[in-house]
Amino acid sequence: MRDDKGAGPSTPENGIVLAGEPHKRTNRRQVPALAGCVLCALGGVAAYFLQPAASLLVGLGALAAGAGRSKALKALLAVCTLALAGLGGIAFGVAGIPDALICCGIGLASAFLVDEGKMTSGVACIAVAAVAALLLGAGELVAQAQGMTLSAQVTGLLDQYLQAMGSAAGLTAADTSLVEHLVGLLWPVAYTVTALLEFLCAYAGAAFAAQRRQSPRVEAPRFAEFDLPLWVVAIFVASVAGLAASLSVPVLSGDPVLMVMGTLLLSLRFAFAAQGFAVLVWVVQRRKASSAAFALALVAAAYLEAQFIVMSIVGLLDVWSNFRRLPRGKKVTVQDGPMQQ
């Protein structure tokens, strides 16, 4: 990414927003700034009904309205969007305010990070983790306001589901107990999935708006250069070690440790899967495959990931082996590929 005057390159870190060569600007029609404000307003309202769509609207609108603007104008846009989302609680119920604010917040953050050229793979991982933690905390606050805990609510819903579906599915008492125990340990992963979906929608909206702009200030993302930082692998290794310790050391055994380690491992799977799919996209682009072949490869990769976590393994190996020969560990310019910290 270059600065506003094109005088010199900046030095981003990991490559979501970097390109292998300067982008060729086209005469695409930009999303007007006023339309961007309207989209942010619509996102604030939609946050009470469909959070992923609201994240997309806010991400698209915030970048269209705020790209290249001063920090004061961006702050005003953010305040107005969040205020509208908060006021929606008057009409749609105060219980939905935390989720609405979080949903709009990730849309705003994604747009502004893309605008500043700071949406790296590491920042994306931190953003998803932060949104998941906020959603989890908001759910716990709502449950506490109702005189319960979030864990108790999940367990109650699971009991109702198993009672309704257990006999129809032919589940034995042992099967029901096993499912209940596993879900009771791993239910926080659902918040990671929700956070990931909201982030991807927000990022997709911001990326679309970036592609419509002609200013060299805003670079469109290139997924083939997605590259996880090494600290993600460090967390993965620590999670595996913690899980092994909880299963073998009596002092560390217990459901709380298993819940934390299991949630971390399953959450990190999405990060490594993204790295694996980035490798696939890179291979397809190098071979200049047709759109049909690309679609078939994606379907096959998705099946292998769902059944055998193949793409997650590919992603983990790529972090270590660097199949794409990305120039890691050095400062880069817009002509260079991404680097890994």
PDB file of all heavy atoms in Angstrom, residues 40 43-49 51 54-55 58 78-89 93-110 130-131 134-135 138 141 198 202:
ATOM      1  N   CYS A  40     -24.549   2.029   6.889  1.00  0.00           N
ATOM      2  CA  CYS A  40     -24.220   1.907   8.310  1.00  0.00           C
ATOM      3  C   CYS A  40     -25.482   1.987   9.167  1.00  0.00           C
ATOM      4  O   CYS A  40     -25.641   1.241  10.140  1.00  0.00           O
ATOM      5  CB  CYS A  40     -23.235   3.002   8.722  1.00  0.00           C
ATOM      6  SG  CYS A  40     -21.551   2.756   8.107  1.00  0.00           S
ATOM      7  N   GLY A  43     -27.339  -1.191   8.839  1.00  0.00           N
ATOM      8  CA  GLY A  43     -26.657  -2.224   9.609  1.00  0.00           C
ATOM      9  C   GLY A  43     -26.966  -2.130  11.088  1.00  0.00           C
ATOM     10  O   GLY A  43     -27.132  -3.146  11.768  1.00  0.00           O
ATOM     11  N   GLY A  44     -27.046  -0.896  11.603  1.00  0.00           N
ATOM     12  CA  GLY A  44     -27.390  -0.718  13.007  1.00  0.00           C
ATOM     13  C   GLY A  44     -28.759  -1.271  13.346  1.00  0.00           C
ATOM     14  O   GLY A  44     -28.964  -1.830  14.433  1.00  0.00           O
ATOM     15  N   VAL A  45     -29.698  -1.148  12.434  1.00  0.00           N
ATOM     16  CA  VAL A  45     -31.042  -1.681  12.658  1.00  0.00           C
ATOM     17  C   VAL A  45     -31.062  -3.201  12.468  1.00  0.00           C
ATOM     18  O   VAL A  45     -31.661  -3.939  13.258  1.00  0.00           O
ATOM     19  CB  VAL A  45     -32.051  -1.006  11.709  1.00  0.00           C
ATOM     20  CG1 VAL A  45     -33.436  -1.636  11.863  1.00  0.00           C
ATOM     21  CG2 VAL A  45     -32.122   0.491  11.980  1.00  0.00           C
ATOM     22  N   ALA A  46     -30.380  -3.672  11.415  1.00  0.00           N
ATOM     23  CA  ALA A  46     -30.383  -5.111  11.119  1.00  0.00           C
ATOM     24  C   ALA A  46     -29.646  -5.924  12.172  1.00  0.00           C
ATOM     25  O   ALA A  46     -29.810  -7.147  12.232  1.00  0.00           O
ATOM     26  CB  ALA A  46     -29.746  -5.354   9.749  1.00  0.00           C
ATOM     27  N   ALA A  47     -28.847  -5.258  13.003  1.00  0.00           N
ATOM     28  CA  ALA A  47     -28.078  -5.978  14.020  1.00  0.00           C
ATOM     29  C   ALA A  47     -28.970  -6.692  15.020  1.00  0.00           C
ATOM     30  O   ALA A  47     -28.510  -7.574  15.741  1.00  0.00           O
ATOM     31  CB  ALA A  47     -27.148  -5.008  14.746  1.00  0.00           C
ATOM     32  N   TYR A  48     -30.251  -6.333  15.088  1.00  0.00           N
ATOM     33  CA  TYR A  48     -31.169  -6.979  16.005  1.00  0.00           C
ATOM     34  C   TYR A  48     -31.851  -8.196  15.380  1.00  0.00           C
ATOM     35  O   TYR A  48     -32.565  -8.925  16.077  1.00  0.00           O
ATOM     36  CB  TYR A  48     -32.232  -5.986  16.478  1.00  0.00           C
ATOM     37  CG  TYR A  48     -31.680  -4.972  17.445  1.00  0.00           C
ATOM     38  CD1 TYR A  48     -31.103  -3.795  16.993  1.00  0.00           C
ATOM     39  CD2 TYR A  48     -31.716  -5.204  18.815  1.00  0.00           C
ATOM     40  CE1 TYR A  48     -30.584  -2.866  17.879  1.00  0.00           C
ATOM     41  CE2 TYR A  48     -31.200  -4.285  19.715  1.00  0.00           C
ATOM     42  CZ  TYR A  48     -30.629  -3.122  19.232  1.00  0.00           C
ATOM     43  OH  TYR A  48     -30.104  -2.201  20.119  1.00  0.00           O
ATOM     44  N   PHE A  49     -31.651  -8.400  14.088  1.00  0.00           N
ATOM     45  CA  PHE A  49     -32.332  -9.492  13.389  1.00  0.00           C
ATOM     46  C   PHE A  49     -31.349 -10.489  12.789  1.00  0.00           C
ATOM     47  O   PHE A  49     -31.520 -11.695  12.948  1.00  0.00           O
ATOM     48  CB  PHE A  49     -33.227  -8.934  12.281  1.00  0.00           C
ATOM     49  CG  PHE A  49     -34.214  -7.917  12.765  1.00  0.00           C
ATOM     50  CD1 PHE A  49     -33.992  -6.563  12.580  1.00  0.00           C
ATOM     51  CD2 PHE A  49     -35.370  -8.313  13.416  1.00  0.00           C
ATOM     52  CE1 PHE A  49     -34.905  -5.622  13.017  1.00  0.00           C
ATOM     53  CE2 PHE A  49     -36.285  -7.378  13.868  1.00  0.00           C
ATOM     54  CZ  PHE A  49     -36.058  -6.027  13.670  1.00  0.00           C
ATOM     55  N   GLN A  51     -27.250 -10.646  12.492  1.00  0.00           N
ATOM     56  CA  GLN A  51     -25.965 -10.012  12.768  1.00  0.00           C
ATOM     57  C   GLN A  51     -24.944 -10.121  11.623  1.00  0.00           C
ATOM     58  O   GLN A  51     -24.267  -9.140  11.311  1.00  0.00           O
ATOM     59  CB  GLN A  51     -25.353 -10.576  14.054  1.00  0.00           C
ATOM     60  CG  GLN A  51     -25.940 -10.031  15.327  1.00  0.00           C
ATOM     61  CD  GLN A  51     -27.228 -10.706  15.721  1.00  0.00           C
ATOM     62  OE1 GLN A  51     -27.500 -11.824  15.259  1.00  0.00           O
ATOM     63  NE2 GLN A  51     -28.021 -10.066  16.565  1.00  0.00           N
ATOM     64  N   ALA A  54     -25.757  -7.562   9.074  1.00  0.00           N
ATOM     65  CA  ALA A  54     -25.497  -6.229   9.613  1.00  0.00           C
ATOM     66  C   ALA A  54     -24.002  -5.917   9.599  1.00  0.00           C
ATOM     67  O   ALA A  54     -23.598  -4.786   9.277  1.00  0.00           O
ATOM     68  CB  ALA A  54     -26.043  -6.139  11.034  1.00  0.00           C
ATOM     69  N   SER A  55     -23.165  -6.896   9.935  1.00  0.00           N
ATOM     70  CA  SER A  55     -21.719  -6.692   9.890  1.00  0.00           C
ATOM     71  C   SER A  55     -21.260  -6.356   8.481  1.00  0.00           C
ATOM     72  O   SER A  55     -20.411  -5.480   8.273  1.00  0.00           O
ATOM     73  CB  SER A  55     -20.994  -7.943  10.392  1.00  0.00           C
ATOM     74  OG  SER A  55     -21.290  -8.195  11.742  1.00  0.00           O
ATOM     75  N   VAL A  58     -22.355  -2.725   7.620  1.00  0.00           N
ATOM     76  CA  VAL A  58     -21.551  -1.721   8.309  1.00  0.00           C
ATOM     77  C   VAL A  58     -20.126  -1.694   7.757  1.00  0.00           C
ATOM     78  O   VAL A  58     -19.540  -0.625   7.568  1.00  0.00           O
ATOM     79  CB  VAL A  58     -21.548  -1.979   9.822  1.00  0.00           C
ATOM     80  CG1 VAL A  58     -20.586  -1.032  10.534  1.00  0.00           C
ATOM     81  CG2 VAL A  58     -22.952  -1.817  10.392  1.00  0.00           C
ATOM     82  N   ALA A  78     -18.449   6.306  13.518  1.00  0.00           N
ATOM     83  CA  ALA A  78     -18.539   5.171  14.436  1.00  0.00           C
ATOM     84  C   ALA A  78     -19.527   5.457  15.566  1.00  0.00           C
ATOM     85  O   ALA A  78     -20.354   4.602  15.908  1.00  0.00           O
ATOM     86  CB  ALA A  78     -17.159   4.849  15.004  1.00  0.00           C
ATOM     87  N   VAL A  79     -19.457   6.663  16.127  1.00  0.00           N
ATOM     88  CA  VAL A  79     -20.354   7.014  17.229  1.00  0.00           C
ATOM     89  C   VAL A  79     -21.809   6.992  16.770  1.00  0.00           C
ATOM     90  O   VAL A  79     -22.691   6.469  17.466  1.00  0.00           O
ATOM     91  CB  VAL A  79     -19.978   8.397  17.803  1.00  0.00           C
ATOM     92  CG1 VAL A  79     -21.063   8.898  18.752  1.00  0.00           C
ATOM     93  CG2 VAL A  79     -18.635   8.328  18.518  1.00  0.00           C
ATOM     94  N   CYS A  80     -22.070   7.554  15.609  1.00  0.00           N
ATOM     95  CA  CYS A  80     -23.451   7.583  15.097  1.00  0.00           C
ATOM     96  C   CYS A  80     -23.978   6.173  14.836  1.00  0.00           C
ATOM     97  O   CYS A  80     -25.130   5.856  15.156  1.00  0.00           O
ATOM     98  CB  CYS A  80     -23.516   8.422  13.825  1.00  0.00           C
ATOM     99  SG  CYS A  80     -23.232  10.196  14.079  1.00  0.00           S
ATOM    100  N   THR A  81     -23.132   5.326  14.251  1.00  0.00           N
ATOM    101  CA  THR A  81     -23.565   3.951  13.970  1.00  0.00           C
ATOM    102  C   THR A  81     -23.854   3.188  15.248  1.00  0.00           C
ATOM    103  O   THR A  81     -24.889   2.514  15.377  1.00  0.00           O
ATOM    104  CB  THR A  81     -22.483   3.214  13.166  1.00  0.00           C
ATOM    105  OG1 THR A  81     -22.218   3.931  11.948  1.00  0.00           O
ATOM    106  CG2 THR A  81     -22.927   1.803  12.821  1.00  0.00           C
ATOM    107  N   LEU A  82     -22.950   3.282  16.221  1.00  0.00           N
ATOM    108  CA  LEU A  82     -23.141   2.572  17.476  1.00  0.00           C
ATOM    109  C   LEU A  82     -24.316   3.138  18.266  1.00  0.00           C
ATOM    110  O   LEU A  82     -25.051   2.389  18.933  1.00  0.00           O
ATOM    111  CB  LEU A  82     -21.854   2.642  18.309  1.00  0.00           C
ATOM    112  CG  LEU A  82     -20.646   1.897  17.716  1.00  0.00           C
ATOM    113  CD1 LEU A  82     -19.418   2.128  18.575  1.00  0.00           C
ATOM    114  CD2 LEU A  82     -20.926   0.403  17.593  1.00  0.00           C
ATOM    115  N   ALA A  83     -24.495   4.473  18.195  1.00  0.00           N
ATOM    116  CA  ALA A  83     -25.630   5.083  18.898  1.00  0.00           C
ATOM    117  C   ALA A  83     -26.951   4.591  18.322  1.00  0.00           C
ATOM    118  O   ALA A  83     -27.892   4.283  19.062  1.00  0.00           O
ATOM    119  CB  ALA A  83     -25.538   6.604  18.810  1.00  0.00           C
ATOM    120  N   LEU A  84     -27.018   4.512  16.997  1.00  0.00           N
ATOM    121  CA  LEU A  84     -28.236   4.014  16.365  1.00  0.00           C
ATOM    122  C   LEU A  84     -28.489   2.563  16.741  1.00  0.00           C
ATOM    123  O   LEU A  84     -29.629   2.159  17.010  1.00  0.00           O
ATOM    124  CB  LEU A  84     -28.132   4.159  14.851  1.00  0.00           C
ATOM    125  CG  LEU A  84     -29.346   3.704  14.037  1.00  0.00           C
ATOM    126  CD1 LEU A  84     -30.580   4.508  14.439  1.00  0.00           C
ATOM    127  CD2 LEU A  84     -29.083   3.852  12.545  1.00  0.00           C
ATOM    128  N   ALA A  85     -27.414   1.754  16.782  1.00  0.00           N
ATOM    129  CA  ALA A  85     -27.575   0.357  17.178  1.00  0.00           C
ATOM    130  C   ALA A  85     -28.051   0.258  18.616  1.00  0.00           C
ATOM    131  O   ALA A  85     -28.902  -0.584  18.948  1.00  0.00           O
ATOM    132  CB  ALA A  85     -26.252  -0.387  17.007  1.00  0.00           C
ATOM    133  N   GLY A  86     -27.515   1.118  19.484  1.00  0.00           N
ATOM    134  CA  GLY A  86     -27.954   1.093  20.870  1.00  0.00           C
ATOM    135  C   GLY A  86     -29.385   1.555  21.042  1.00  0.00           C
ATOM    136  O   GLY A  86     -30.156   0.965  21.816  1.00  0.00           O
ATOM    137  N   LEU A  87     -29.786   2.591  20.305  1.00  0.00           N
ATOM    138  CA  LEU A  87     -31.157   3.082  20.403  1.00  0.00           C
ATOM    139  C   LEU A  87     -32.171   2.073  19.889  1.00  0.00           C
ATOM    140  O   LEU A  87     -33.341   2.102  20.271  1.00  0.00           O
ATOM    141  CB  LEU A  87     -31.291   4.397  19.624  1.00  0.00           C
ATOM    142  CG  LEU A  87     -30.572   5.610  20.232  1.00  0.00           C
ATOM    143  CD1 LEU A  87     -30.651   6.809  19.293  1.00  0.00           C
ATOM    144  CD2 LEU A  87     -31.165   5.958  21.596  1.00  0.00           C
ATOM    145  N   GLY A  88     -31.715   1.170  19.017  1.00  0.00           N
ATOM    146  CA  GLY A  88     -32.623   0.140  18.523  1.00  0.00           C
ATOM    147  C   GLY A  88     -33.149  -0.747  19.626  1.00  0.00           C
ATOM    148  O   GLY A  88     -34.203  -1.385  19.478  1.00  0.00           O
ATOM    149  N   GLY A  89     -32.436  -0.783  20.769  1.00  0.00           N
ATOM    150  CA  GLY A  89     -32.895  -1.589  21.885  1.00  0.00           C
ATOM    151  C   GLY A  89     -34.218  -1.116  22.452  1.00  0.00           C
ATOM    152  O   GLY A  89     -34.953  -1.896  23.070  1.00  0.00           O
ATOM    153  N   GLY A  93     -35.830  -4.431  22.173  1.00  0.00           N
ATOM    154  CA  GLY A  93     -35.489  -5.101  23.428  1.00  0.00           C
ATOM    155  C   GLY A  93     -34.059  -4.843  23.848  1.00  0.00           C
ATOM    156  O   GLY A  93     -33.137  -4.977  23.038  1.00  0.00           O
ATOM    157  N   VAL A  94     -33.897  -4.473  25.113  1.00  0.00           N
ATOM    158  CA  VAL A  94     -32.558  -4.115  25.602  1.00  0.00           C
ATOM    159  C   VAL A  94     -31.631  -5.324  25.648  1.00  0.00           C
ATOM    160  O   VAL A  94     -30.404  -5.160  25.644  1.00  0.00           O
ATOM    161  CB  VAL A  94     -32.656  -3.470  26.996  1.00  0.00           C
ATOM    162  CG1 VAL A  94     -33.386  -2.149  26.931  1.00  0.00           C
ATOM    163  CG2 VAL A  94     -33.354  -4.418  27.987  1.00  0.00           C
ATOM    164  N   ALA A  95     -32.171  -6.529  25.696  1.00  0.00           N
ATOM    165  CA  ALA A  95     -31.326  -7.717  25.753  1.00  0.00           C
ATOM    166  C   ALA A  95     -30.474  -7.874  24.496  1.00  0.00           C
ATOM    167  O   ALA A  95     -29.415  -8.509  24.537  1.00  0.00           O
ATOM    168  CB  ALA A  95     -32.183  -8.966  25.961  1.00  0.00           C
ATOM    169  N   GLY A  96     -30.932  -7.294  23.387  1.00  0.00           N
ATOM    170  CA  GLY A  96     -30.180  -7.424  22.144  1.00  0.00           C
ATOM    171  C   GLY A  96     -29.147  -6.347  21.922  1.00  0.00           C
ATOM    172  O   GLY A  96     -28.398  -6.394  20.933  1.00  0.00           O
ATOM    173  N   ILE A  97     -29.081  -5.363  22.834  1.00  0.00           N
ATOM    174  CA  ILE A  97     -28.146  -4.248  22.636  1.00  0.00           C
ATOM    175  C   ILE A  97     -26.682  -4.698  22.605  1.00  0.00           C
ATOM    176  O   ILE A  97     -25.931  -4.278  21.721  1.00  0.00           O
ATOM    177  CB  ILE A  97     -28.364  -3.169  23.719  1.00  0.00           C
ATOM    178  CG1 ILE A  97     -29.718  -2.489  23.516  1.00  0.00           C
ATOM    179  CG2 ILE A  97     -27.243  -2.130  23.695  1.00  0.00           C
ATOM    180  CD1 ILE A  97     -30.036  -1.429  24.571  1.00  0.00           C
ATOM    181  N   PRO A  98     -26.213  -5.537  23.556  1.00  0.00           N
ATOM    182  CA  PRO A  98     -24.794  -5.928  23.508  1.00  0.00           C
ATOM    183  C   PRO A  98     -24.397  -6.592  22.193  1.00  0.00           C
ATOM    184  O   PRO A  98     -23.378  -6.242  21.596  1.00  0.00           O
ATOM    185  CB  PRO A  98     -24.659  -6.896  24.692  1.00  0.00           C
ATOM    186  CG  PRO A  98     -25.738  -6.494  25.629  1.00  0.00           C
ATOM    187  CD  PRO A  98     -26.884  -6.089  24.753  1.00  0.00           C
ATOM    188  N   ASP A  99     -25.197  -7.548  21.722  1.00  0.00           N
ATOM    189  CA  ASP A  99     -24.868  -8.229  20.465  1.00  0.00           C
ATOM    190  C   ASP A  99     -24.900  -7.258  19.288  1.00  0.00           C
ATOM    191  O   ASP A  99     -24.073  -7.356  18.368  1.00  0.00           O
ATOM    192  CB  ASP A  99     -25.838  -9.373  20.209  1.00  0.00           C
ATOM    193  CG  ASP A  99     -25.604 -10.553  21.143  1.00  0.00           C
ATOM    194  OD1 ASP A  99     -24.546 -10.582  21.798  1.00  0.00           O
ATOM    195  OD2 ASP A  99     -26.475 -11.441  21.210  1.00  0.00           O
ATOM    196  N   ALA A 100     -25.840  -6.306  19.298  1.00  0.00           N
ATOM    197  CA  ALA A 100     -25.927  -5.333  18.215  1.00  0.00           C
ATOM    198  C   ALA A 100     -24.704  -4.425  18.194  1.00  0.00           C
ATOM    199  O   ALA A 100     -24.146  -4.130  17.125  1.00  0.00           O
ATOM    200  CB  ALA A 100     -27.204  -4.503  18.356  1.00  0.00           C
ATOM    201  N   LEU A 101     -24.268  -3.983  19.358  1.00  0.00           N
ATOM    202  CA  LEU A 101     -23.086  -3.127  19.430  1.00  0.00           C
ATOM    203  C   LEU A 101     -21.832  -3.872  18.986  1.00  0.00           C
ATOM    204  O   LEU A 101     -20.984  -3.317  18.269  1.00  0.00           O
ATOM    205  CB  LEU A 101     -22.910  -2.601  20.854  1.00  0.00           C
ATOM    206  CG  LEU A 101     -23.983  -1.627  21.360  1.00  0.00           C
ATOM    207  CD1 LEU A 101     -23.720  -1.263  22.812  1.00  0.00           C
ATOM    208  CD2 LEU A 101     -24.013  -0.365  20.499  1.00  0.00           C
ATOM    209  N   ILE A 102     -21.709  -5.126  19.411  1.00  0.00           N
ATOM    210  CA  ILE A 102     -20.542  -5.919  19.009  1.00  0.00           C
ATOM    211  C   ILE A 102     -20.540  -6.138  17.506  1.00  0.00           C
ATOM    212  O   ILE A 102     -19.503  -6.018  16.837  1.00  0.00           O
ATOM    213  CB  ILE A 102     -20.543  -7.264  19.756  1.00  0.00           C
ATOM    214  CG1 ILE A 102     -20.349  -7.030  21.257  1.00  0.00           C
ATOM    215  CG2 ILE A 102     -19.450  -8.178  19.215  1.00  0.00           C
ATOM    216  CD1 ILE A 102     -20.594  -8.264  22.095  1.00  0.00           C
ATOM    217  N   CYS A 103     -21.710  -6.459  16.967  1.00  0.00           N
ATOM    218  CA  CYS A 103     -21.848  -6.703  15.528  1.00  0.00           C
ATOM    219  C   CYS A 103     -21.441  -5.475  14.724  1.00  0.00           C
ATOM    220  O   CYS A 103     -20.663  -5.557  13.766  1.00  0.00           O
ATOM    221  CB  CYS A 103     -23.287  -7.097  15.241  1.00  0.00           C
ATOM    222  SG  CYS A 103     -23.729  -7.139  13.507  1.00  0.00           S
ATOM    223  N   CYS A 104     -21.941  -4.311  15.100  1.00  0.00           N
ATOM    224  CA  CYS A 104     -21.584  -3.081  14.387  1.00  0.00           C
ATOM    225  C   CYS A 104     -20.132  -2.702  14.634  1.00  0.00           C
ATOM    226  O   CYS A 104     -19.449  -2.166  13.746  1.00  0.00           O
ATOM    227  CB  CYS A 104     -22.495  -1.939  14.821  1.00  0.00           C
ATOM    228  SG  CYS A 104     -24.211  -2.150  14.323  1.00  0.00           S
ATOM    229  N   GLY A 105     -19.639  -2.992  15.837  1.00  0.00           N
ATOM    230  CA  GLY A 105     -18.253  -2.659  16.154  1.00  0.00           C
ATOM    231  C   GLY A 105     -17.259  -3.405  15.286  1.00  0.00           C
ATOM    232  O   GLY A 105     -16.271  -2.822  14.826  1.00  0.00           O
ATOM    233  N   ILE A 106     -17.509  -4.693  15.027  1.00  0.00           N
ATOM    234  CA  ILE A 106     -16.575  -5.439  14.181  1.00  0.00           C
ATOM    235  C   ILE A 106     -16.651  -4.961  12.737  1.00  0.00           C
ATOM    236  O   ILE A 106     -15.649  -4.957  12.020  1.00  0.00           O
ATOM    237  CB  ILE A 106     -16.836  -6.966  14.275  1.00  0.00           C
ATOM    238  CG1 ILE A 106     -15.731  -7.742  13.562  1.00  0.00           C
ATOM    239  CG2 ILE A 106     -18.200  -7.328  13.704  1.00  0.00           C
ATOM    240  CD1 ILE A 106     -14.347  -7.486  14.101  1.00  0.00           C
ATOM    241  N   GLY A 107     -17.831  -4.511  12.308  1.00  0.00           N
ATOM    242  CA  GLY A 107     -17.931  -3.949  10.964  1.00  0.00           C
ATOM    243  C   GLY A 107     -17.128  -2.663  10.832  1.00  0.00           C
ATOM    244  O   GLY A 107     -16.403  -2.460   9.850  1.00  0.00           O
ATOM    245  N   LEU A 108     -17.241  -1.787  11.825  1.00  0.00           N
ATOM    246  CA  LEU A 108     -16.489  -0.530  11.808  1.00  0.00           C
ATOM    247  C   LEU A 108     -14.997  -0.794  11.884  1.00  0.00           C
ATOM    248  O   LEU A 108     -14.200  -0.200  11.126  1.00  0.00           O
ATOM    249  CB  LEU A 108     -16.927   0.347  12.985  1.00  0.00           C
ATOM    250  CG  LEU A 108     -18.350   0.908  12.919  1.00  0.00           C
ATOM    251  CD1 LEU A 108     -18.768   1.441  14.289  1.00  0.00           C
ATOM    252  CD2 LEU A 108     -18.440   2.011  11.874  1.00  0.00           C
ATOM    253  N   ALA A 109     -14.587  -1.673  12.802  1.00  0.00           N
ATOM    254  CA  ALA A 109     -13.165  -1.959  12.964  1.00  0.00           C
ATOM    255  C   ALA A 109     -12.564  -2.557  11.699  1.00  0.00           C
ATOM    256  O   ALA A 109     -11.458  -2.182  11.283  1.00  0.00           O
ATOM    257  CB  ALA A 109     -12.962  -2.905  14.148  1.00  0.00           C
ATOM    258  N   SER A 110     -13.282  -3.476  11.061  1.00  0.00           N
ATOM    259  CA  SER A 110     -12.773  -4.095   9.834  1.00  0.00           C
ATOM    260  C   SER A 110     -12.582  -3.061   8.737  1.00  0.00           C
ATOM    261  O   SER A 110     -11.551  -3.050   8.049  1.00  0.00           O
ATOM    262  CB  SER A 110     -13.728  -5.189   9.358  1.00  0.00           C
ATOM    263  OG  SER A 110     -13.833  -6.229  10.312  1.00  0.00           O
ATOM    264  N   ALA A 130     -11.370 -11.498  19.994  1.00  0.00           N
ATOM    265  CA  ALA A 130     -11.970 -10.435  20.796  1.00  0.00           C
ATOM    266  C   ALA A 130     -13.486 -10.438  20.680  1.00  0.00           C
ATOM    267  O   ALA A 130     -14.209 -10.292  21.682  1.00  0.00           O
ATOM    268  CB  ALA A 130     -11.401  -9.077  20.366  1.00  0.00           C
ATOM    269  N   VAL A 131     -13.998 -10.604  19.457  1.00  0.00           N
ATOM    270  CA  VAL A 131     -15.447 -10.639  19.264  1.00  0.00           C
ATOM    271  C   VAL A 131     -16.050 -11.841  19.972  1.00  0.00           C
ATOM    272  O   VAL A 131     -17.116 -11.737  20.612  1.00  0.00           O
ATOM    273  CB  VAL A 131     -15.786 -10.658  17.760  1.00  0.00           C
ATOM    274  CG1 VAL A 131     -17.281 -10.882  17.550  1.00  0.00           C
ATOM    275  CG2 VAL A 131     -15.366  -9.358  17.108  1.00  0.00           C
ATOM    276  N   LEU A 134     -16.183 -11.059  23.644  1.00  0.00           N
ATOM    277  CA  LEU A 134     -17.233 -10.087  23.940  1.00  0.00           C
ATOM    278  C   LEU A 134     -18.620 -10.717  23.860  1.00  0.00           C
ATOM    279  O   LEU A 134     -19.490 -10.443  24.696  1.00  0.00           O
ATOM    280  CB  LEU A 134     -17.130  -8.909  22.967  1.00  0.00           C
ATOM    281  CG  LEU A 134     -15.935  -7.970  23.166  1.00  0.00           C
ATOM    282  CD1 LEU A 134     -15.847  -6.960  22.027  1.00  0.00           C
ATOM    283  CD2 LEU A 134     -16.040  -7.249  24.506  1.00  0.00           C
ATOM    284  N   LEU A 135     -18.840 -11.543  22.846  1.00  0.00           N
ATOM    285  CA  LEU A 135     -20.130 -12.226  22.731  1.00  0.00           C
ATOM    286  C   LEU A 135     -20.371 -13.150  23.917  1.00  0.00           C
ATOM    287  O   LEU A 135     -21.492 -13.232  24.450  1.00  0.00           O
ATOM    288  CB  LEU A 135     -20.189 -13.026  21.429  1.00  0.00           C
ATOM    289  CG  LEU A 135     -20.291 -12.226  20.136  1.00  0.00           C
ATOM    290  CD1 LEU A 135     -20.138 -13.146  18.922  1.00  0.00           C
ATOM    291  CD2 LEU A 135     -21.612 -11.477  20.059  1.00  0.00           C
ATOM    292  N   ALA A 138     -21.163 -10.960  26.894  1.00  0.00           N
ATOM    293  CA  ALA A 138     -22.510 -10.403  26.786  1.00  0.00           C
ATOM    294  C   ALA A 138     -23.561 -11.462  27.080  1.00  0.00           C
ATOM    295  O   ALA A 138     -24.562 -11.196  27.767  1.00  0.00           O
ATOM    296  CB  ALA A 138     -22.727  -9.834  25.383  1.00  0.00           C
ATOM    297  N   LEU A 141     -23.717 -11.936  30.819  1.00  0.00           N
ATOM    298  CA  LEU A 141     -24.404 -10.835  31.489  1.00  0.00           C
ATOM    299  C   LEU A 141     -25.924 -10.964  31.350  1.00  0.00           C
ATOM    300  O   LEU A 141     -26.670 -10.741  32.319  1.00  0.00           O
ATOM    301  CB  LEU A 141     -23.936  -9.502  30.918  1.00  0.00           C
ATOM    302  CG  LEU A 141     -22.519  -9.055  31.295  1.00  0.00           C
ATOM    303  CD1 LEU A 141     -22.169  -7.765  30.577  1.00  0.00           C
ATOM    304  CD2 LEU A 141     -22.393  -8.877  32.806  1.00  0.00           C
ATOM    305  N   GLU A 198     -19.320 -13.267  11.675  1.00  0.00           N
ATOM    306  CA  GLU A 198     -19.520 -11.827  11.666  1.00  0.00           C
ATOM    307  C   GLU A 198     -18.287 -11.107  11.115  1.00  0.00           C
ATOM    308  O   GLU A 198     -18.400 -10.137  10.354  1.00  0.00           O
ATOM    309  CB  GLU A 198     -19.844 -11.329  13.075  1.00  0.00           C
ATOM    310  CG  GLU A 198     -21.213 -11.772  13.569  1.00  0.00           C
ATOM    311  CD  GLU A 198     -21.571 -11.161  14.912  1.00  0.00           C
ATOM    312  OE1 GLU A 198     -20.819 -10.277  15.397  1.00  0.00           O
ATOM    313  OE2 GLU A 198     -22.593 -11.564  15.497  1.00  0.00           O
ATOM    314  N   ALA A 202     -18.134  -8.804   7.749  1.00  0.00           N
ATOM    315  CA  ALA A 202     -17.661  -7.424   7.834  1.00  0.00           C
ATOM    316  C   ALA A 202     -16.478  -7.201   6.902  1.00  0.00           C
ATOM    317  O   ALA A 202     -16.394  -6.184   6.205  1.00  0.00           O
ATOM    318  CB  ALA A 202     -17.267  -7.099   9.273  1.00  0.00           C
TER     319      ALA A 202
END
